[in-house]
Amino acid sequence: MENPRLPLLAQKAHKLPLLPGVYIMKNKAGDIIYIGKAKLLKNRVSSYFRSVEKHQPKVYQMVCHVQDFEYIVTDSEFEALVLECSMIKLHAPKYNILLKDDKGYSYIKIYPKEYSRISMALQKGDEQGATYIGPYMSSFVVRETVEEANRAFRLPTCTRRFPQEFGKGRPCLNFHIKRCMGVCQGKISLEEYNEILAQALDYIKGGSAQSIEKLTARMNEYAEAMQFERAAQLRDRIRAIQRITESQKVVFTSVANQDVIALVRSDKDTCAVVLKFRSERLVDKQDFLLGVVDNLDSARLEFLLRYYTGRGTGQEFPKKIQLDGPIEDMEMVARLLSEQAGHKVELRIPQRGEQHKLVEMARTNAAERLSLKVQRTGRELAALDELARLLGLEKPPSYIEAYDISNIGSDTVVAGMVVFEDARPLRRCYRKFSMKTVVGTDDYASMSEVLRRRFERYRDPEKQDEAFDRLPDLILLDGGKGHVGVIAPLLAEMGIAVPVFGMVKDDRHRTRAIAQSGGEIAIASHRSAFTLVSSIQEEVHRYSVEYSRAKHQKSAFELTLTQCEGIGEKRAAEIYKHFKTIKAIRAASVEQLAQVKGVSKSAAEKLYSFLRLED
């Protein structure tokens, strides 16, 4: 039986991002029937809905029952794998039978009883005296943890039996390269060995932070007692543990029971995403399209109340809710939710650390969901949303104009205007300006002339131009707060209510900050907004410099033409205006040159000969 929704599913899959994540297949009843992971969501999910007849029988049956699918974007393929295993264990989907039992899980094994080794095991054995830590969802994590713990604490990994084989043979290579403490030599007591083993198990069980804290205290004690060799050993173990540490926010979080909420909007719609963490694991994602909103803070409050109020006492209320921005009367809202839940509910806006990363993860997922509707990538929407929050704008700036002044000496001063719509260059609206009133190299005066002329064109109904017929959402100037201090009053004088900021470069001509009239806004730590502003600054600089060079070359060539008998400045300008390029002028015949307004046949012949001499 063929699924009649295949064309729609294929179309939806084609719009997925080329990012790692987890996809969730659902049937008509809304039940989850399959959960999978992907390195590139778009490629993997799309493969299910094309050439269906070539699928394996089990996959074919699953695809025939898919009514819809959801997805969760992660930061890496590894995170997608961990999340896939976690969600499969939670939901037990029909078509994930091979992954439902514990055979895919791994353990950390401590065996034998004396001089125990730390190793990896795919399942629990029946060895007497063996202990196990786990299960863990990823064999890769277990393998790496075991390997790095053994290396950091220099535990033996060979097959020798201790103390039976003390002194029976030379130490192996691991001892000589300082990856093993050399138990085989018989110089380490069981008590001393067990102390080191306990440190390794503390690392595995308690986590790197707790292990580092304990080892650091012990290292300081050794240093104070002038036992520098032992202190150095602990120092090396601490460094090894720090290399091991990797934040797996889709699995572990310091808050066992919480929701993470983020909103992203465009000029066409707004999306809210809720990431649900239960028992320290991400177990679900929900997204909602809210339509166009005027104020994001108000929309956040309204969504929060709609989502949680009326759900009944104790039903699905987390202990903490992490938000991506402020809401009005946060304490009162928290009290209301606590009463609804039957337990205390805290509302927080994390600014840094693990919880902030989770909020950013929710925001990324919201941007990706919204991108499916507005035909823009999630990264572009996220960049505009982040830029709006950074600059304090009421909404993401869909239409951005940027300006740059460029000059080659005092005779060639020009400006370039570039336009970005929905974070993409809109090249048909790029415009060039030559100075008409400013003499010399005065960047502030030149920028004022350009902006005044631009908005005078906006107000002139008789001069229709797509580039000037609408107001931008944001104006960016290639310059610091000095430029903003000149242009902001000019726009106010003209009655133009458009926010204006400067783009500040460092000594290497790279974007460093955004300038406002009162100072600067650091931007480097805001990756999405930084990337967008950098690309805008580079583009407007390139455009203005290219125009400046072209005009300078044109002026120099026109001056060269006046050296020809019978060609003055006026005729030289007409010739360039007629042919547009220097190459076209040099390639022109006498007849073609004579077609230029004001150029006689005699002058054309002299110019033709003059150009041949120039070549």
Side-chain angles (χ1 to χ4, degrees), residues 105-124:
Y105 294 80
S106 301
Y107 297 84
I108 295 175
K109 180 180 178 181
I110 300 96
Y111 180 79
K113 189 173 182 179
E114 289 188 342
Y115 291 96
S116 302
R117 320 293 175 85
I118 298 177
S119 62
M120 172 185 171
L122 294 177
Q123 54 187 327
K124 292 183 178 180

Side-chain angles (χ1 to χ4, degrees), residues 411-429:
D411 296 330
T412 309
V413 181
V414 301
M417 174 187 108
V418 303
V419 176
F420 275 60
E421 185 173 35
D422 292 331
R424 296 181 184 179
L426 188 65
R427 291 185 173 84
R428 68 174 186 272
C429 289

Side-chain angles (χ1 to χ4, degrees), residues 317-366:
F317 274 86
K319 293 181 179 179
K320 289 184 173 62
I321 300 173
Q322 309 288 350
L323 301 173
D324 66 327
I327 62 171
E328 189 177 356
D329 296 325
M330 183 176 287
E331 291 184 7
M332 186 172 64
V333 173
R335 178 182 175 184
L336 173 62
L337 296 182
S338 297
E339 291 178 355
Q340 289 278 324
H343 60 75
K344 185 178 180 180
V345 176
E346 295 183 41
L347 299 179
R348 295 182 175 180
I349 307 172
Q351 302 297 321
R352 60 184 64 84
E354 178 193 47
Q355 300 305 320
H356 179 68
K357 291 180 181 178
L358 294 178
V359 168
E360 290 301 314
M361 182 180 179
R363 186 176 285 121
T364 298
N365 278 274

Side-chain angles (χ1 to χ4, degrees), residues 302-314:
E302 184 177 354
F303 172 76
L304 192 67
L305 293 175
R306 278 189 181 183
Y307 185 77
Y308 291 106
T309 303
R311 287 173 158 248
T313 303

Side-chain angles (χ1 to χ4, degrees), residues 67-136:
Q67 179 74 8
D68 199 1
F69 64 84
E70 298 293 338
Y71 67 97
I72 299 176
V73 177
T74 59
D75 283 345
S76 68
E77 187 180 7
F78 175 74
E79 285 191 357
L81 171 64
V82 174
L83 181 56
E84 176 198 35
C85 294
S86 178
M87 295 190 73
I88 287 172
K89 195 168 186 180
L90 177 69
H91 297 286
K94 178 179 180 180
Y95 291 97
N96 286 103
I97 295 174
L98 294 178
L99 299 178
K100 282 196 238 179
D101 56 30
D102 281 347
K103 291 182 180 178
Y105 294 80
S106 301
Y107 297 84
I108 295 175
K109 180 180 178 181
I110 300 96
Y111 180 79
K113 189 173 182 179
E114 289 188 342
Y115 291 96
S116 302
R117 320 293 175 85
I118 298 177
S119 62
M120 172 185 171
L122 294 177
Q123 54 187 327
K124 292 183 178 180
D126 55 2
E127 298 94 341
Q128 187 175 4
T131 58
Y132 295 87
I133 302 174
Y136 294 92

